Amino acid sequence: AQKVTQAQTEISVVEKEDVTLDCVYETRDTTYYLFWYKQPPSGELVFLIRRNSFDEQNEISGRYSWNFQKSTSSFNFTITASQVVDSAVYFCALRLDTGRRALTFGSGTRLQVQP
Amino acid sequence: DVKVTQSSRYLVKRTGEKVFLECVQDMDHENMFWYRQDPGLGLRLIYFSYDVKMKEKGDIPEGYSVSREKKERFSLILESASTNQTSMYLCASSLKGGGTRKKYFGPGTRLTVT
């Protein structure tokens, strides 16, 4: 069975600091998809990125970047120059290409950005 | 814009009551999901449905049932609510297909069972 681990329960940084959220996954499948979601205080999950297992290119979107490394089964998320509005719970998730269509989520990392 | 709505943001029920949580999506999505979110555990799948009247158990279906009579609506039912079902419940939907399909989440229902 697949599993997603986010070892960091809570991170606190000061505005403008860079911060990296770790995500490690386990699966025996060769085709899978990795996701990051943001859950602000309002509660609704906001989709940030999807990556498939064949595409190990790192991605940058504004202040956000993602580092996917199959060799270490990791899909880490970095926020550069953090802002107070980045404060949220961030979830990493995994979905297989076959069988169940649901996501397997990590336990989440609460990021607190202090002004 | 895809919209997934849930009938209540906050709900307080008594132990033993039958509870209905409703979820509606407006984008003709085939797949719908119910997750439960608890601190330190992330989101865990309760049930999902990939078509009208079709349903499959997720990781923690015990104590829950679901109903999908219409494509746009997916209901989660707590037959006899218990205090350990106090949690945040999130509904999601997506188009049918493999892992590339983006999943859209509702705002969540925070259920307290006293």
Side-chain angles (χ1 to χ4, degrees), chain A residues 58-73:
Chain A
N58 290 332
E59 182 152 340
I60 298 175
S61 175
R63 296 184 297 107
Y64 295 170
S65 63
W66 291 269
N67 184 342
F68 176 27
Q69 292 201 345
K70 269 176 104 165
S71 60
T72 55
S73 297

Side-chain angles (χ1 to χ4, degrees), chain A residues 99-114:
Chain A
R100 206 171 76 175
R101 298 167 181 80
L103 294 164
T104 298
F105 283 85
S107 54
T109 297
R110 181 177 297 278
L111 174 65
Q112 194 77 20
V113 182
Q114 310 284 352

Side-chain angles (χ1 to χ4, degrees), chain A residues 18-98:
Chain A
D18 298 348
V19 59
T20 295
L21 310 181
D22 297 333
C23 173
V24 173
Y25 62 91
E26 293 174 33
T27 178
R28 289 184 180 161
D29 284 40
T30 54
T31 303
Y32 51 87
Y33 302 85
L34 295 164
F35 299 78
W36 275 96
Y37 282 86
K38 174 181 179 180
Q39 187 179 43
S42 60
E44 193 161 334
L45 278 164
V46 177
F47 168 83
L48 295 178
I49 190 172
R50 174 185 58 238
R51 232 31 194 163
N52 75 54
S53 52
F54 297 109
D55 184 1
E56 281 194 78
Q57 272 193 330
N58 290 332
E59 182 152 340
I60 298 175
S61 175
R63 296 184 297 107
Y64 295 170
S65 63
W66 291 269
N67 184 342
F68 176 27
Q69 292 201 345
K70 269 176 104 165
S71 60
T72 55
S73 297
S74 64
F75 186 42
N76 296 338
F77 173 30
T78 298
I79 302 174
T80 305
S82 59
Q83 299 175 1
V84 173
V85 292
D86 295 327
S87 297
V89 181
Y90 290 85
F91 290 97
C92 181
L94 167 75
R95 177 177 167 167
L96 304 181
D97 196 42
T98 57

